Amino acid sequence: MTLLRPALVGFAAGVLSVLLFHQGTVALLHAAGLVPNAPFRLHAVPPLGVPQLVSIAFWGGVWGSGLGLFLASSGRRWPPMLAGLVMGVCCSLVGFTVVAALRGQPLLGGLDPGRWWRSLLINGAFGWGVGVLLLAARRVFRG
């Protein structure tokens, strides 16, 4: 039962971080003309046909649960924002390998430096945001 709380708080932090930090970074990059897709996209995506934003938020919650559990089990050895940033890099690596393979896309982003820096920036902002939100939750829900 003690791991349920960090998993749930992590899930919530992951979902909120997608909405605030991930999509906020996409919005800034889109406004600057650096990414073609606008944030908060609601078109249906396979395999379930749910809106893209819902899918991204769900997977952000899954990653956030993992980070919440990791931080809870590691004590206070990892600063949450640093752990979140590392998690964001891991998200990019999984996206460029596992997700790309499942979708039939080029592995490692086709070694396109533009894809890499955008992915690292967007996912890094997401991960850092999860860390910020978990740190805030730790202070609010001491115990």
Side-chain angles (χ1 to χ4, degrees):
M1 188 67 169
T2 60
L3 292 179
L4 183 59
R5 184 180 196 176
L8 291 176
V9 172
F11 189 88
V15 169
L16 287 174
S17 184
V18 164
L19 299 175
L20 299 172
F21 295 95
H22 183 279
Q23 293 297 285
T25 302
V26 171
L28 292 172
L29 293 173
H30 181 71
L34 298 172
V35 295
N37 296 327
F40 305 107
R41 297 184 74 192
L42 297 176
H43 72 282
V45 294
L48 301 177
V50 298
Q52 184 178 26
L53 183 61
V54 172
S55 178
I56 295 169
F58 170 78
W59 287 109
V62 170
W63 280 95
S65 284
L67 185 61
L69 290 169
F70 170 77
L71 290 172
S73 66
S74 70
R76 301 211 184 253
R77 291 185 298 237
W78 276 83
M81 291 178 290
L82 176 61
L85 190 59
V86 170
M87 181 191 70
V89 171
C90 291
C91 288
S92 293
L93 293 174
V94 168
F96 281 140
T97 55
V98 176
V99 175
L102 290 171
R103 292 182 179 170
Q105 297 173 339
L107 293 179
L108 302 176
L111 298 178
D112 177 4
R115 286 185 181 187
W116 274 91
W117 76 259
R118 288 188 299 266
S119 178
L120 290 170
L121 182 63
I122 293 167
N123 288 320
F126 156 71
W128 185 83
V130 174
V132 167
L133 294 170
L134 287 174
L135 185 61
R138 181 187 292 169
R139 290 182 178 158
V140 171
F141 298 111
R142 289 206 192 270

